[in-house]
């Protein structure tokens, strides 16, 4: 007679990539082991979260429509190893998409009839191997004479030399090396003249810019000090404003280590995009889940603790309004935003039994731990992001020759700011990023517009929130994830996505099957882009979910 599998019920709250990965990993583990894991996936939207903002757009001149991911889901080889591994395991097809970039300044925030941009820098992609392009602002000065031609190319060549030198300098800064202080002076133009521990304390980009500005008399004579500051302000800040979908002030106050790791880890790697959109990812990653275990349009209103009985262990109930409730969960994985998890955790905390001499000690320990979880989650910061699909070319550089795959535009410092952003716009401190969509001629996707597209040109508008790292949240992250000890003298940062372990606030209960036999409490876990080191992106979703399943629930249940 085949023994019956023991069933463990797990609730996954949120169906972004983190929740989908956690559900997939648990369902896959259940197929292979003696324990049956019954996973229930909860999503408040009508469709699963990773694809809920995507739209289908008619292909010009062809029959059918093309699915457009919202937001754009590109990923890069060096920074997304676990995401790529997951996609390969699922059989998701993706292709190289080495984007080119333009960096421009918007002179006016007025209506589109008077918009004018000046492109400052053009990057042709492929980790710099394709070089840089000449902006129209330089070529427009050529009047056909030999003198103007020579002058324009001389200016461009000098600018290219400076950019190349600063790019090399930036790469050297980003390498995971600790340079001894006694080498700082002879290598002052390339070396960060401060010790590693200063970065670990949360040094911000603003502080890093000041410290790395060349200060030698020769550098000042050549103007390298001001040009370096311009490079950081006009290239690094817009780039990471687009990557993080955050305003410039958040980028200036962002811990610089995450940026340096991103530069180092992506060096020499390709950008990729999935061929069939994230809709295909969602279909493949949920294939192991029974339809009855996927609950869309199910906004959770509260969690409830249920004490153990003579024949049962403590469990959690999930309430979706007054009419729908789901019972018997041994674990709850929060795969939603940190700020959205807090009220649900509070509802769970409110149902824990009050302190009483007859109650087991571990219940009071769980009460303390859940309170600590709430305190931790309150530290993570979120910013508002807007993504618009449209057909308005006025959100691109004015000159067609300046337009590239991704076009980053910032407002000029002296451009008049409106009292409040226009409808479907963010504050002018953001870098507006417009992607020229392939296969859809004349269709663009703009993230965080600082000026609105023409109303008739709008195809879709999506509002969302994105986590952004701060020195405080970086410190708080250690409660959810912590890295293993670093090798002395090296700054590895987030290199090696599987190099960390779960923090002490994960699980809030026993961590092993043996301990659980004595002190059984429901496990409360967290995963998501914010719950792993580095910039909060897709890689953090996959790694944090994998860690919760492999290091947390599977170990806890003896799977």
């Amino acid at each position: 007679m085949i023994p019956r599998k023991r069933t463990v019920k797990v609730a996954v709250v949120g169906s972004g990539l983190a929740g989908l990965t956690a559900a997939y990993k648990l369902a896959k583990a259940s197929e292979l082991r003696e324990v049956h894991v019954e996973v229930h996936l909860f999503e408040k939207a009508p469709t699963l979260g990773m694809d809920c903002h995507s739209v289908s757009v008619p292909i010009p001149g062809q029959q059918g429509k093309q699915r457009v991911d919202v937001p754009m889901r590109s990923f890069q080889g060096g920074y997304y190893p676990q995401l790529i591994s997951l996609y390969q395991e699922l059989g998701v097809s993706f292709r190289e998409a080495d984007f080119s970039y333009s960096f421009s300044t918007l002179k006016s925030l007025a209506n589109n009839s008077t918009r004018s941009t000046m492109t400052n820098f053009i990057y042709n992609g492929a980790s710099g191997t394709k070089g840089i392009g000449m902006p129209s602002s330089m070529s427009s000065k050529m009047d056909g004479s030999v003198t103007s031609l020579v002058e324009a190319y001389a200016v461009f060549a000098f600018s290219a030399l400076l950019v190349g030198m600063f790019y090399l300098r930036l790469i050297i800064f980003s390498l995971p090396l600790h340079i001894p202080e006694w080498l700082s002076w002879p290598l002052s133009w390339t070396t960060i003249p401060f010790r590693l521990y200063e970065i670990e304390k949360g040094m911000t980009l603003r502080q890093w810019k000041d410290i790395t500005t060349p200060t030698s008399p020769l550098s000042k004579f050549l103007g390298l000090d001001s040009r370096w500051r311009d490079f950081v302000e006009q290239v690094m800040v817009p780039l990471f404003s687009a990557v993080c979908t955050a305003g410039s002030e958040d980028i200036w106050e962002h811990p610089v280590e995450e940026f340096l790791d991103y530069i180092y880890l992506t060096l020499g790697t390709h950008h990729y995009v999935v061929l069939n959109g994230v809709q295909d990812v969602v279909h493949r990653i949920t294939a192991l889940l029974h339809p009855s275990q996927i609950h869309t349009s199910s906004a959770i209103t509260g969690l409830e603790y249920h004490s153990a009985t003579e024949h049962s262990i403590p469990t959690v109930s999930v309430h979706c309004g007054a009419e729908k409730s789901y019972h018997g969960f041994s674990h709850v994985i929060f795969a939603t935003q940190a700020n959205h998890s807090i009220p649900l955790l509070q509802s769970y905390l409110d149902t824990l039994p009050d302190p009483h001499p007859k109650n087991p000690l571990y219940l009071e320990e769980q009460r303390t731990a859940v309170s600590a979880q709430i305190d931790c989650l309150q530290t993570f910061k979120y910013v508002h992001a807007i993504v618009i699909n449209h057909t308005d070319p006025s959100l691109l550089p004015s000159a067609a020759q300046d337009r590239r795959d991704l076009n980053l535009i910032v407002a000029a410092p002296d451009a008049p700011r409106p009292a409040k952003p226009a409808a479907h716009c963010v504050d002018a401190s953001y870098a507006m990023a417009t992607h020229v969509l392939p296969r859809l001629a004349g269709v663009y996707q703009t993230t965080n517009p600082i000026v609105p597209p023409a109303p008739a040109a709008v195809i879709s508008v999506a509002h969302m929130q994105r986590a952004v790292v701060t020195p405080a949240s970086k410190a708080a992250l250690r409660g959810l994830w912590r890295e293993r000890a670093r090798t002395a003298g090296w700054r590895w940062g987030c290199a090696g996505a599987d190099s960390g372990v779960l923090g002490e606030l994960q699980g809030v209960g026993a961590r092993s099957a043996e301990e659980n036999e004595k002190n059984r409490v429901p496990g409360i876990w967290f995963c998501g882009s914010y719950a792993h080191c580095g910039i909060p992106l897709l890689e953090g979703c996959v790694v944090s979910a994998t860690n919760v399943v492999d290091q947390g629930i599977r170990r806890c249940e003896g799977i």
Side-chain angles (χ1 to χ4, degrees), residues 306-315 328 362 520:
H306 292 280
S307 301
T309 67
E310 184 179 352
H311 303 290
S312 68
I313 59 175
T315 59
Y362 59 77
R520 185 72 190 211

Side-chain angles (χ1 to χ4, degrees), residues 120-174:
N120 309 304
F121 176 57
I122 295 176
Y123 172 76
N124 290 325
S127 292
T129 58
K130 292 185 178 180
I132 64 176
M134 178 185 287
S136 61
S137 57
M138 291 185 181
S139 60
S140 63
K141 297 177 181 179
M142 294 186 290
D143 59 10
S145 67
V146 174
T147 302
S148 66
L149 182 67
V150 171
E151 182 180 346
Y153 276 101
V155 171
F156 174 67
F158 179 69
S159 300
L161 178 64
L162 279 179
V163 168
M165 184 177 71
F166 289 154
Y167 183 56
L168 176 62
R169 194 171 192 256
L170 182 59
I171 290 172
I172 294 174
F173 283 170
S174 71

Side-chain angles (χ1 to χ4, degrees), residues 155 174 188 343 403 405 477 513 530:
V155 171
S174 71
S188 61
R403 298 172 184 176
D405 300 324
L477 178 63
Y530 73 94

Side-chain angles (χ1 to χ4, degrees), residues 6-268:
R6 176 170 63 92
T7 296
V8 174
K9 292 183 69 174
V10 180
V12 179
V13 182
S15 67
L17 184 58
L20 293 172
T21 301
Y24 168 75
K25 297 281 186 179
L26 286 168
K28 186 178 179 183
S30 179
E31 282 195 333
L32 302 175
R33 303 295 178 180
E34 67 279 1
V35 178
H36 172 61
V37 182
E38 184 180 316
V39 187
H40 287 255
L41 188 62
F42 294 90
E43 171 56 53
K44 64 181 179 181
T47 56
L48 293 181
M50 192 180 184
D51 191 49
C52 68
H53 294 298
S54 301
V55 295
S56 296
V57 179
I59 302 174
Q62 301 181 33
Q63 292 184 345
K65 295 183 177 182
Q66 179 176 326
R67 190 72 170 172
V68 177
D69 294 338
V70 179
M72 182 184 69
R73 308 279 186 171
S74 68
F75 49 99
Q76 203 157 355
Y79 208 72
Y80 296 82
Q82 300 296 328
L83 175 73
I84 290 174
S85 178
L86 174 64
Y87 281 178
Q88 290 172 334
E89 181 180 321
L90 293 170
V92 174
S93 299
F94 49 91
R95 65 173 178 85
E96 292 180 9
D98 290 334
F99 299 116
S100 57
Y101 295 78
S102 70
F103 295 79
S104 305
T105 300
L106 184 65
K107 298 179 180 179
S108 172
L109 298 174
N111 61 59
N112 59 1
S113 63
T114 59
R115 281 177 201 158
S116 175
T117 62
M118 183 179 74
T119 299
N120 309 304
F121 176 57
I122 295 176
Y123 172 76
N124 290 325
S127 292
T129 58
K130 292 185 178 180
I132 64 176
M134 178 185 287
S136 61
S137 57
M138 291 185 181
S139 60
S140 63
K141 297 177 181 179
M142 294 186 290
D143 59 10
S145 67
V146 174
T147 302
S148 66
L149 182 67
V150 171
E151 182 180 346
Y153 276 101
V155 171
F156 174 67
F158 179 69
S159 300
L161 178 64
L162 279 179
V163 168
M165 184 177 71
F166 289 154
Y167 183 56
L168 176 62
R169 194 171 192 256
L170 182 59
I171 290 172
I172 294 174
F173 283 170
S174 71
L175 294 176
L177 294 169
H178 170 49
I179 306 299
E181 190 171 334
W182 61 271
L183 278 177
S184 295
W185 183 81
L187 297 177
S188 61
W189 89 274
T190 58
T191 305
I192 304 177
F194 54 84
R195 292 187 178 276
L196 169 64
Y197 65 80
E198 292 186 82
I199 293 182
E200 292 178 338
K201 290 178 180 178
M203 175 174 287
T204 66
L205 177 63
R206 191 190 305 277
Q207 295 167 328
W208 178 87
K209 179 208 66 173
D210 293 338
I211 287 179
T212 58
T213 297
T215 57
S216 68
L218 179 61
S219 296
K220 291 183 177 180
F221 175 76
L222 296 175
L224 297 180
D225 52 347
S226 61
R227 292 179 185 275
W228 170 254
R229 288 191 290 266
D230 289 343
F231 176 80
V232 175
E233 184 173 348
Q234 296 176 11
V235 177
M236 288 188 65
V237 171
L239 176 63
F240 285 106
S241 177
V243 171
C244 302
T245 61
S248 59
E249 191 58 32
D250 287 319
I251 301 304
W252 282 120
E253 297 305 317
H254 196 291
V256 73
E257 184 179 21
E258 280 68 18
F259 295 160
L260 297 179
D261 287 336
Y262 185 90
I263 293 165
Y264 162 66
L265 291 171
T266 59
L267 182 65

